Amino acid sequence: MVQETTSDKMDFATWEFVLTNGSQEDQDAVWNAIKGKAVQMNGTIISTEPEQFMIAGSSDDIDAKKADITLKFEDKIPVKLIPKDGASFDFQGEPSSYTPNPFMMVLEKGRLLNAKPAATPAKKPPVHHKPAAQ
């Protein structure tokens, strides 16, 4: 896997597989290629706090509703921008550490991509009545 695809072209599930099951040489090659570099991904929210989100990034963990990514933010995320548990969303972060078993990757400098606040009902324009004709 590591010889066929460069680490920056691998998806998250492949990183997880190599970092969990690969030889130490392969683990080091993948980790050194991604550590500290901004990566953009899609994941499913497992749980949230204003400073960090627990996210399922691989399809196996999405199906199991089990977090395999801790996304840490430098600033608190406004409540209106926090996705609901179970929501799929796009994010960016920089891999800073990982634990192979059970697998958990920590991403620092988290950013929400394409974040939109929850829709608020549109206000109706005021109704203007014409004065009665005399």
Side-chain angles (χ1 to χ4, degrees):
M1 253 188 235
V2 174
Q3 290 158 351
E4 293 172 14
T5 310
T6 59
S7 301
D8 60 339
K9 301 280 187 240
M10 292 178 180
D11 63 10
F12 178 76
T14 305
W15 291 342
E16 183 173 347
F17 181 81
V18 172
L19 294 172
T20 304
N21 302 301
S23 67
Q24 189 62 51
E25 182 181 332
D26 289 344
Q27 289 178 31
D28 291 345
V30 168
W31 184 246
N32 291 331
I34 64 174
K35 183 179 179 186
K37 295 191 173 81
V39 294
Q40 294 184 350
M41 299 188 236
N42 179 277
T44 299
I45 294 287
I46 302 301
S47 65
T48 60
E49 296 174 25
E51 294 92 9
Q52 74 177 23
F53 293 177
M54 301 304 289
I55 302 164
S58 68
S59 57
D60 288 347
D61 288 332
I62 290 169
D63 292 344
K65 295 178 175 41
K66 183 178 110 187
D68 51 17
I69 299 171
T70 302
L71 181 64
K72 294 187 174 190
F73 300 97
E74 292 177 328
D75 299 311
K76 285 185 177 185
I77 299 298
V79 173
K80 65 182 178 186
L81 294 180
I82 295 177
K84 302 225 179 298
D85 289 1
S88 176
F89 80 114
D90 297 319
F91 61 94
Q92 176 178 302
E94 296 179 9
S96 63
S97 65
Y98 75 95
T99 307
N101 194 6
F103 188 82
M104 178 61 67
M105 183 179 288
V106 177
L107 302 180
E108 302 279 344
K109 299 182 183 172
R111 283 186 36 212
L112 301 180
L113 303 177
N114 306 319
K116 295 181 180 99
T120 54
K123 291 185 179 179
K124 292 183 179 178
V127 176
H128 296 285
H129 296 283
K130 291 184 179 180
Q134 296 182 356

